[in-house]
Amino acid sequence: PDSVPDRLLELLELWRYRPPSHRDFPQIEEIFPGASYQYVLYGMGFRPSDDAPVRRADDPDAAMQCFQTTARTTRQYLSGLPAHRQLIETIREQGLPAAQAAPQL
């Protein structure tokens, strides 16, 4: 228990009242999604409290935040990509790079 990070303790307390969710992890590059935490926790016998309130799935504020995050991420990724015509011309001129074999372990 002494080695458990504070953030995980906070999440465990939250998960007593509802299952882990992707919304619990705001960073797009999280190593494990919320479902992975469910698999591990439930496999270890963790269960939400019996007196946990029933929640409605529709949360307009959470949905709007998700839409805004998705739009922001989309703009970020698109800004780093070439235009379609530019990509086609580059492939036509240079070809596609050969796939590299995965390193042997």
Side-chain angles (χ1 to χ4, degrees):
D2 294 338
S3 66
V4 178
D6 289 341
R7 176 68 177 136
L8 180 55
L9 289 173
E10 292 170 7
L11 287 170
L12 289 170
E13 180 64 22
L14 175 67
W15 294 337
R16 287 182 57 223
Y17 301 100
R18 65 163 180 76
S21 163
H22 66 278
R23 288 186 223 136
D24 299 329
F25 308 99
Q27 300 299 318
I28 191 79
E29 298 296 331
E30 290 288 342
I31 295 174
F32 302 108
S36 294
Y37 284 87
Q38 284 182 337
Y39 301 143
V40 172
L41 287 171
Y42 296 169
M44 295 172 62
F46 180 92
R47 294 291 182 267
S49 173
D50 289 336
D51 62 346
V54 176
R55 290 177 29 121
R56 290 185 53 163
D58 55 342
D59 182 346
D61 292 334
M64 186 55 65
Q65 183 178 5
C66 184
F67 294 147
Q68 290 170 348
T69 299
T70 301
R72 189 171 43 251
T73 302
T74 300
R75 285 191 303 272
Q76 178 184 358
Y77 287 148
L78 288 175
S79 71
L81 294 174
H84 185 256
R85 176 54 52 195
Q86 179 186 1
L87 175 62
I88 297 299
E89 288 299 321
T90 300
I91 292 172
R92 189 177 64 75
E93 293 169 5
Q94 301 175 10
L96 291 173
Q100 295 180 358
Q104 297 294 322
L105 300 176

